[in-house]
Amino acid sequence: GKYHTETTIGSHTAAINSLDISGDVVISGGADRMLKVWDTTTQRLTAKQNVGSAIFCVGFITPRRVVTSGANSSLKIWNIPDFSLVKTLTGHTADIYNFDIQDRLMVTASQDLTVGIWNLEEPFDHLGLCRGHSAAVHCVKLDKAGNRVISGSLDGRVRIFDLEKRKQVAGIPIISRFGTESAPPMCLQVFAGIFWKILFF
């Protein structure tokens, strides 16, 4: 059947780079530097905050606490809807493009060629960095059950790191159906212990 738009609840003034949902609440972050909170029941914007730089990724930690990353080297944790800043997390040295959260553990993908590991239980410790990529890391997935971090980079490699040791255990070149290395992975998904990549050309 054909798909159709059920409703449009709002907009940003520039590209929307990331969304997350918790119950009836949606958060969105964009290139317009805005973090916005939406109620899907009333279809209304309930709160907004200019965070000072373009937002690349947003995510819920709890229903009233969110984390953002973007065009700087830090992560910010906010309470919503009042947008009180809980903490600024540092550890990367360049833009943070993406992150994944499982059970108060977070992994981050950065332009500085590294994958960061963070504890989202207060006091929000930076647990370390995984190194091995030779270009910016654009996507990352946490496989906590398998004690692994899977990352994809502009170097055209998917790399798998041991979560506790923060050491690379595998590096996989992405090969196209033509037998040559394909475009670098921009998105990853882990399912039943197997990683899948989605390419955006």
Side-chain angles (χ1 to χ4, degrees):
K2 294 183 177 180
Y3 296 96
H4 66 278
T5 301
E6 181 175 310
T7 187
T8 300
I9 63 173
S11 64
H12 285 251
T13 59
I16 299 173
N17 293 324
S18 183
L19 296 167
D20 200 13
I21 187 168
S22 178
D24 294 326
V25 179
V26 170
I27 55 173
S28 58
D32 59 2
R33 306 179 180 183
M34 297 301 294
L35 174 61
K36 295 190 175 185
V37 182
W38 312 87
D39 187 317
T40 60
T41 302
T42 63
Q43 300 174 17
R44 292 182 180 277
L45 175 69
T46 60
K48 62 182 179 179
Q49 174 75 16
N50 187 322
V51 304
S53 61
I55 299 173
F56 293 150
C57 196
V58 298
F60 281 97
I61 302 173
T62 71
R64 291 192 172 274
R65 184 165 285 180
V66 302
V67 58
T68 62
S69 72
N72 54 57
S73 60
S74 64
L75 298 133
K76 294 184 183 297
I77 298 175
W78 309 86
N79 288 324
I80 58 170
D82 66 350
F83 292 110
S84 56
L85 181 62
V86 178
K87 190 166 185 177
T88 299
L89 306 180
T90 59
H92 284 293
T93 58
D95 296 357
I96 301 170
Y97 292 128
N98 191 246
F99 58 73
D100 190 30
I101 299 171
Q102 286 185 24
D103 301 327
R104 304 295 180 90
L105 193 67
M106 177 172 65
V107 292
T108 50
S110 176
Q111 188 184 24
D112 67 7
L113 319 187
T114 70
V115 172
I117 304 175
W118 314 78
N119 177 16
L120 293 182
E121 296 279 4
E122 295 191 55
F124 309 109
D125 297 321
H126 179 209
L127 302 178
L129 297 172
C130 300
R131 304 179 187 275
H133 284 291
S134 59
V137 186
H138 264 245
C139 49
V140 66
K141 280 292 178 181
L142 176 58
D143 178 16
K144 193 173 181 181
N147 194 41
R148 299 179 301 178
V149 181
I150 300 96
S151 58
S153 165
L154 292 181
D155 64 12
R157 299 293 193 273
V158 170
R159 300 183 190 272
I160 303 174
F161 298 92
D162 182 282
L163 182 60
E164 293 183 357
K165 296 178 181 178
R166 299 187 288 280
K167 299 293 186 181
Q168 181 178 318
V169 296
I172 306 164
I174 302 303
I175 305 298
S176 75
R177 65 182 181 276
F178 303 109
T180 58
E181 290 192 17
S182 68
M186 302 299 282
C187 182
L188 292 168
Q189 184 62 50
V190 177
F191 175 72
I194 302 173
F195 74 85
W196 301 84
K197 75 178 177 75
I198 302 171
L199 295 179
F200 293 87
F201 297 95

